[in-house]
Amino acid sequence: MPTVVHATRRGWVYAPFTCEHCGHADHGAVYMQASAGAQAGLVQDLDDSRDLALGTAHGNMEQAGDELIALAPCPGCGLRDELAVRAFVARAKPWLAGGGVLVSVGLAGAGYLASKDALFMGLVVTGPLLLIGVVALVVGLAKRLRSLPGGVVFRSVDPRPWAGLHQ
Ligand SMILES: [Zn+2]
């Protein structure tokens, strides 16, 4: 019987940072937490699966941390890397666009039926469409709100994350 082993990694992720606007070169660090699961098969024991899950969680953590550091405003001039920000915002766009279309179509349908004195019928017919559209909009907005996160520390501003680093 397959068992899924979950593992969580927490720790600082470090990445070099160079500002494309003012050329400020720095090191960024961000405290991250990531989880992953791995399926424990018949031939693997639980420890192997846990190692695998930890490895995946560590990879996820590094990737998300690198992304956050690339998105952080430069400690020198306060500007963000436009390419990184655009790539991040672009990920929310399909949700916003899809949700917008569904809500518009749903409202148009409800409006049309309402004009025929069939508002209730209209809502019954277009309700699911509206609901899916609103959910997609909310997901898109959540992705966008999350889109410019803080929490990144720069070595030139606060060297504490590097203090305990023995590498
Ligand atoms: Zn800068």
Side-chain angles (χ1 to χ4, degrees):
M1 185 154 152
T3 318
V4 175
V5 180
H6 287 279
T8 302
R9 286 297 293 256
R10 282 184 204 86
W12 287 96
V13 176
Y14 302 88
F17 178 92
T18 307
C19 179
E20 61 167 16
H21 302 281
C22 69
H24 176 90
D26 212 328
H27 289 273
V30 60
Y31 196 79
M32 298 294 297
Q33 176 176 328
S35 301
Q39 193 129 33
L42 290 175
V43 286
Q44 288 169 309
D45 62 25
L46 283 178
D47 282 345
D48 284 347
S49 303
R50 186 182 302 280
D51 284 348
L52 186 66
L54 272 175
T56 309
H58 189 74
N60 293 346
M61 193 177 92
E62 293 276 335
Q63 202 184 338
D66 285 353
E67 193 180 64
L68 280 185
I69 291 167
L71 279 167
C74 166
C77 66
L79 294 174
R80 294 178 198 264
D81 185 317
E82 279 159 28
L83 269 182
V85 170
R86 222 177 294 156
F88 205 97
V89 170
R91 239 178 285 160
K93 266 186 195 151
W95 291 93
L96 290 174
V101 167
L102 285 176
V103 168
S104 320
V105 170
L107 284 177
Y112 172 77
L113 286 169
S115 71
K116 305 277 177 201
D117 286 331
L119 179 61
F120 178 73
M121 200 52 214
L123 287 179
V124 168
V125 172
T126 59
L129 210 58
L130 283 171
L131 192 66
I132 295 168
V134 166
V135 167
L137 278 179
V138 167
V139 170
L141 283 177
K143 277 179 187 282
R144 182 166 285 201
L145 284 179
R146 184 187 83 93
S147 69
L148 296 174
V152 175
V153 178
F154 285 99
R155 194 170 197 167
S156 64
V157 179
D158 181 359
R160 270 178 299 170
W162 285 265
L165 196 62
H166 303 291
Q167 283 183 351

